């Protein structure tokens, strides 16, 4: 592929991701309307994924920003995108800063695992989590000079942290 073809290919990928974000936003706007929640949707493309965030004043999103609820809404939104595009979507949904909150929780889990290692444990296992959360754990562990690997299948897939 020439440099021009690569550039065109990358642009179409961004265009496809922006289209995913638009479809996701339309779907989420419908859900927010049904729930009678006023929210602002922001669309972005980050690290090869459509990223959709929902923000609102006050505590309007409190119930929707619980981790399990965000995960369920993300899966529903991905299905809506897939239904429209015919392609699998890796879109990320953030509701009321839920992703930042979850990252802080994962940082605490990695810190607790590091403390167990400091206390003499050979390894520290974390609970099962989504592939996105495991990726964050791997990044956080690497930032702290730790080694992490994922084990298990499906819903039981989890991360084990060691000193390496």
């Amino acid at each position: 592929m020439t440099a021009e073809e690569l550039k065109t290919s990358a642009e179409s990928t961004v265009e496809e991701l922006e289209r995913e974000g638009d479809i996701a936003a339309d779907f989420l706007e419908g859900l927010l309307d049904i729930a009678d929640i006023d929210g602002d949707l922001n669309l972005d493309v980050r690290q090869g994924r459509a990223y959709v965030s929902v923000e609102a004043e006050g505590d309007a999103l409190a119930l929707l920003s619980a981790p399990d609820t965000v995960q369920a809404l993300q899966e529903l939104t991905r299905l809506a995108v897939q239904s429209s595009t015919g392609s699998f979507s890796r879109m990320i949904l953030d509701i009321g800063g839920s992703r930042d909150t979850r990252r802080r929780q994962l940082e605490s889990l990695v810190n607790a695992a590091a403390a167990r290692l400091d206390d003499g444990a050979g390894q520290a296992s974390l609970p099962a989590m989504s592939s996105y959360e495991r990726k964050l754990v791997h990044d956080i562990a690497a930032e702290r000079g730790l080694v992490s690997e994922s084990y298990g299948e499906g819903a039981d897939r989890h991360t084990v942290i060691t000193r390496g």
Side-chain angles (χ1 to χ4, degrees):
M1 242 185 208
T2 67
E4 187 61 34
E5 289 171 326
L6 284 172
K7 182 180 176 191
T8 302
S9 174
E11 287 172 359
S12 68
T13 300
V14 169
E15 287 173 8
E16 290 170 4
L17 294 173
E18 288 173 344
R19 181 167 179 257
E20 279 188 23
D22 288 338
I23 294 166
D26 289 344
F27 177 77
L28 290 165
E29 282 176 353
L31 288 178
L32 291 173
D33 285 345
I34 291 168
D36 197 27
I37 297 173
D38 290 324
D40 295 322
L41 289 119
N42 298 306
L43 310 176
D44 199 3
V45 173
R46 299 180 189 174
Q47 300 173 339
R49 293 179 183 219
Y51 189 95
V52 180
S53 62
V54 181
E55 299 295 328
E57 296 292 322
D59 61 351
L61 299 175
L63 293 175
L64 296 180
S65 63
D68 289 342
T69 305
V70 173
Q71 186 68 26
L73 288 172
Q74 178 174 280
E75 291 307 314
L76 286 173
T77 306
R78 284 180 174 175
L79 287 172
V81 170
Q82 182 176 338
S83 175
S84 180
T85 64
S87 299
F88 176 75
S89 173
R90 295 177 51 222
M91 182 270 316
I92 297 295
L93 176 62
D94 178 49
I95 298 178
S98 60
R99 294 293 172 180
D100 290 338
T101 299
R102 184 62 177 148
R103 181 176 174 90
R104 287 190 298 275
Q105 291 169 342
L106 294 173
E107 287 172 344
S108 294
L109 283 174
V110 172
N111 290 341
R116 290 193 303 268
L117 296 174
D118 289 343
D119 289 342
Q123 65 182 27
S125 293
L126 301 182
M129 57 188 71
S130 72
S131 61
Y132 179 78
E133 291 172 327
R134 287 192 313 276
K135 182 201 177 306
L136 290 177
V137 166
H138 292 307
D139 292 347
I140 295 164
E143 290 169 5
R144 288 164 173 66
L146 302 169
V147 175
S148 61
E149 291 186 50
S150 293
Y151 295 95
E153 298 293 325
D156 293 326
R157 194 148 174 87
H158 63 283
T159 307
V160 175
I161 297 177
T162 61
R163 288 272 176 214

